[in-house]
Amino acid sequence: MQNAAVAEMFDSIADLLEIAGENPFQIRAYRRAAEAVATHATPIEDVPAAELRAISGLGPATSDKTREFLATGRVAFLEKLREEYPRGLLELMRVPGLGPKRVQQLYRERGISSVEALQESIANGELTGLAGFGGKTLAKIEDGIKRLGELSSNLPLIDALPLANLVARTLADVEGVERVEIAGEVRRGCESVESLDWVAQAGDAKAVIPAFLSLPFVQEVLETTESRARVRMRPGIEATLHIAPSGGWGSALFFATGSPAHVEEARNRNAELENYSDETELYAALQMPFLDPELREKTGEWDLKVRPNLVRISDIKGDLHAHSNWSDGSATIRQMVEAARARGYQYHAITDHSKALAMANGLNAQRLREQAKEIAEVQADFPDVKILRGIECDILRDGSLDLDDEILHELDWVVASVHSAFNLDEASQTARMIRAISHPAVDLIAHPTGRILGARAPYAVDVAALVEAASEFDTALEINASQRLDLKDEHARMARDANVLISIDTDAHSTRMLNNLEIGLLTARRAWCEPKDILNTKPREELLAWLKRPKSQK
DNA sequence: GCCGTTTTCGGCCCGACTGTTTTCAGTCG
């Protein structure tokens, strides 16, 4: 499956063209091509060359480049751009406060092509007097560099999980392999991972390791022994295949899953953990119930007397945060509802952006009322999926909402979230959000801390205060199942402990993105959530009843 | 660079904020 690699190629071209100051529409065309390939349902290498252009978003230039990349592994156009613009410029683009124009200016006028060089130049006062770079701007850039440094460079779960699954499926097909399972941080559902792990059992271990080493994602072999192979994989991440000894599957899986702190505690309780054929027996020997992988973080799991009934994918009855092409989604309402029904959902919320998000073609009251007609039409054709007429309403700087109460009260379901003024101080940001939480029409606060893993730090906000307010006003909080994973596990656990309902939603902007629910589910499980803690485990009628709850008023 | 159609070129996602260039360019979502 080369889709991700081709998409990455197009994104790189777009990034570099941006720095080159090329036509923004041309750049957008490359971004759309990346998106089209990334979300294409079949492996792009299986699409006949002549049919590439039929994919919406690919035209003559981009389908040629796709063919060139698939045939040779490289694209001359991109190589040429790379010669002209050093790699470090892309890193500079990630600094908050720096865009293509300033990066280009720094490179052209000062020869700066890395974050380190920029930092040094600012520190040495070499940029004073550079046109457009006043004191405040420089301070902002310095702050941006600091924030960039704080972002984790780990692979976000949303990327790690599909890769881990793909490798597991490939290994499972290798002749002689009896069993393969994902282990390590991915199995524990960590939000981002330093390394990938699998455990395999095979009649002939010697056949599995070469198959692993020859996977297309393997960049470099770091170590091979009788019982494991450690490599570096293409996104720059370490990956280990562990070979379980005959009769020792459970122990091998347990050790490869971790966490280190959890395993250490097990060792302290019983030094002999080597030869268990399944994990349940291993835990029984420790006089413990089976502990699900997501619990194994030494955050109280050893005190459990019975196995918690952690929420499962089959408990989820619908997605309560998803977009359509009325704002910035790519699919029609009908397509989204069809996809929701295909997932077996009982309900699906249409929550497009509100007008403040002009770039996303956000809806005002008039367009929301027009949208209602389309929802009604689709609803008539899908009686088994209740379509909730909703909105993702912007929370404005002062905590008021982007739409009037009148229209909000017409809707079945109101999601509120922050998309602007991320730099408020903690007290103001918290007060702003609590005002939204207390609003009588608001049902859910989406992505409460605003972070995007690996790309944007959370804004300053007192999550404990948000949880307290959510509890007081009977407002639900979201686990956003995307690259955001927001709330994160420990915040979701705070919410659960305060009996605040959590909704696990994908924030899907396409039908395929509805499939991301699983990573939010893993986060909820890491927060020890059971079905009763999750709003969208409620069957249809119960959810509709909950929506009629009287919200507390201060 | 892609798309759609008023079929081959014009339109494509817009508005607020910020700092500085004091009249607007750059960045962000």
Side-chain angles (χ1 to χ4, degrees):
Chain A
M1 185 93 162
Q2 296 287 305
N3 300 41
V6 173
E8 194 188 328
M9 178 268 292
F10 283 130
D11 266 327
S12 299
I13 290 178
D15 289 339
L16 292 168
L17 289 177
E18 229 179 352
I19 294 171
E22 285 296 335
N23 175 2
F25 298 110
Q26 182 186 359
I27 294 162
R28 197 182 304 153
Y30 278 110
R31 299 242 183 254
R32 270 205 307 263
E35 180 69 18
V37 174
T39 61
H40 192 69
T42 63
I44 198 72
E45 62 272 26
D46 294 347
V47 178
E51 288 170 27
L52 281 172
R53 282 189 62 176
I55 297 173
S56 177
L58 291 188
T62 48
S63 52
D64 280 354
K65 288 184 180 68
T66 302
R67 275 201 294 269
E68 185 185 352
F69 182 84
L70 291 173
T72 69
R74 43 207 301 278
V75 170
F77 183 63
L78 176 58
E79 303 286 323
K80 193 157 160 287
L81 283 169
R82 282 192 169 137
E83 272 169 36
E84 210 171 329
Y85 300 98
R87 261 196 139 62
L89 298 186
L90 295 181
E91 179 75 1
L92 279 173
M93 285 276 288
R94 295 184 61 222
V95 175
L98 285 185
K101 293 285 157 54
R102 286 187 177 138
V103 167
Q104 189 191 38
Q105 189 188 357
L106 287 168
Y107 180 53
R108 288 266 150 87
E109 295 180 24
R110 289 291 194 276
I112 292 169
S113 62
S114 71
V115 174
E116 294 72 35
L118 175 61
Q119 218 164 4
E120 215 177 293
S121 297
I122 296 177
N124 297 339
E126 288 165 25
L127 296 186
T128 34
L130 183 60
F133 288 78
K136 284 189 179 175
T137 301
L138 287 180
K140 205 166 153 184
I141 291 171
E142 275 191 296
D143 185 52
I145 293 174
K146 215 176 101 210
R147 278 161 48 204
L148 189 66
E150 285 161 5
L151 290 176
S152 160
S153 58
N154 289 352
L155 190 67
L157 185 60
I158 194 167
D159 298 322
L161 184 63
L163 178 57
N165 275 324
L166 184 57
V167 170
R169 279 200 306 272
T170 310
L171 291 176
D173 287 343
V174 171
E175 182 148 353
V177 170
E178 292 151 12
R179 206 168 173 187
V180 183
E181 201 158 320
I182 296 169
E185 293 165 292
V186 174
R187 183 164 181 242
R188 302 204 311 277
C190 299
E191 63 182 35
S192 65
V193 307
E194 268 181 35
S195 62
L196 299 170
D197 295 86
W198 301 262
V199 179
Q201 194 151 50
D204 178 13
K206 288 195 182 69
V208 195
I209 289 183
F212 179 67
L213 298 180
S214 67
L215 289 170
F217 328 99
V218 172
Q219 216 169 34
E220 186 190 351
V221 177
L222 301 172
E223 180 197 14
T224 56
T225 70
E226 294 260 302
S227 60
R228 68 175 188 182
R230 200 160 58 85
V231 302
R232 183 164 303 284
M233 283 200 171
R234 202 172 43 230
I237 192 167
E238 232 181 82
T240 307
L241 175 65
H242 308 259
I243 306 296
S246 170
W249 171 263
S251 295
L253 188 57
F254 173 77
F255 288 120
T257 298
S259 66
H262 179 85
V263 169
E264 192 195 339
E265 177 65 26
R267 282 254 190 246
N268 291 340
R269 289 169 179 237
N270 184 350
E272 191 44 66
L273 296 172
E274 302 300 333
N275 294 309
Y276 292 95
S277 61
D278 74 61
E279 286 186 322
T280 305
E281 282 176 23
L282 184 149
Y283 280 108
L286 292 162
Q287 277 133 40
M288 291 296 296
F290 176 80
L291 296 176
D292 293 278
E294 298 91 340
L295 299 171
R296 302 180 194 173
E297 299 291 348
K298 211 181 173 193
T299 54
E301 73 273 22
W302 291 104
D303 299 330
L304 288 166
K305 298 283 181 280
V306 291
R307 179 182 177 180
N309 172 33
L310 297 183
V311 60
R312 288 185 290 185
I313 198 86
S314 55
D315 295 320
I316 300 296
K317 304 293 195 299
D319 206 315
L320 293 173
H321 182 177
H323 297 267
S324 78
N325 63 353
W326 278 74
S327 63
D328 60 349
S330 61
T332 61
I333 291 171
R334 180 175 297 274
Q335 289 166 333
M336 291 302 282
V337 174
E338 268 172 4
R341 184 168 67 173
R343 290 184 59 85
Y345 287 162
Q346 300 178 6
Y347 44 84
H348 178 81
I350 301 292
T351 56
D352 279 306
H353 289 289
S354 65
K355 62 186 181 355
L357 222 54
M359 165 204 161
N361 196 21
L363 277 67
N364 58 18
Q366 189 199 337
R367 287 188 64 219
L368 265 166
R369 290 185 180 118
E370 285 165 24
Q371 188 189 42
K373 294 175 202 157
E374 185 172 323
I375 290 176
E377 280 171 28
V378 176
Q379 183 68 85
D381 295 341
F382 295 89
D384 49 345
V385 181
K386 170 65 185 174
I387 309 174
L388 294 175
R389 191 184 157 214
I391 186 77
E392 180 183 10
C393 188
D394 262 47
I395 302 171
L396 304 178
R397 180 184 282 263
D398 65 355
S400 64
L401 297 179
D402 185 31
L403 293 167
D404 293 339
D405 289 0
E406 190 192 346
I407 182 73
L408 292 178
H409 285 297
E410 266 179 41
L411 301 172
D412 300 319
W413 169 248
V414 175
V415 178
S417 62
V418 164
H419 294 107
S420 62
F422 295 109
N423 58 353
L424 298 185
D425 62 80
E426 182 175 313
S428 313
Q429 194 70 274
T430 305
R432 170 195 194 182
M433 295 190 68
I434 289 177
R435 189 172 165 202
I437 289 170
S438 71
H439 191 289
V442 171
D443 298 303
L444 173 77
I445 302 294
H447 44 75
T449 75
R451 73 165 182 178
I452 298 175
L453 281 167
R456 193 165 76 204
Y459 40 69
V461 68
D462 180 351
V463 177
L466 299 187
V467 166
E468 194 184 324
S471 166
E472 180 181 354
F473 293 102
D474 218 352
T475 304
L477 297 178
E478 184 177 67
I479 292 177
N480 190 277
S482 69
Q483 194 169 341
R484 294 175 180 270
L485 279 185
D486 180 13
L487 299 171
K488 65 189 287 182
D489 48 12
E490 60 182 85
H491 290 152
R493 191 158 168 191
M494 282 168 60
R496 183 205 82 123
D497 289 346
N499 291 318
V500 168
L501 278 170
I502 293 168
S503 190
I504 309 172
D505 306 310
T506 60
D507 199 353
H509 285 68
S510 66
T511 54
R512 281 171 69 88
M513 284 171 77
L514 291 172
N515 299 329
N516 290 342
L517 199 101
E518 189 179 356
I519 63 165
L521 188 89
L522 287 166
T523 301
R525 289 169 60 89
R526 287 178 64 79
W528 295 36
C529 288
E530 304 196 351
K532 66 175 170 48
D533 302 313
I534 306 298
L535 178 62
N536 51 332
T537 62
K538 287 185 189 294
R540 172 175 166 156
E541 294 310 320
E542 272 182 45
L543 179 80
L544 295 177
W546 185 83
L547 290 176
K548 295 199 181 89
R549 78 205 178 287
K551 282 192 68 170
S552 332
Q553 297 276 353
K554 245 189 183 155

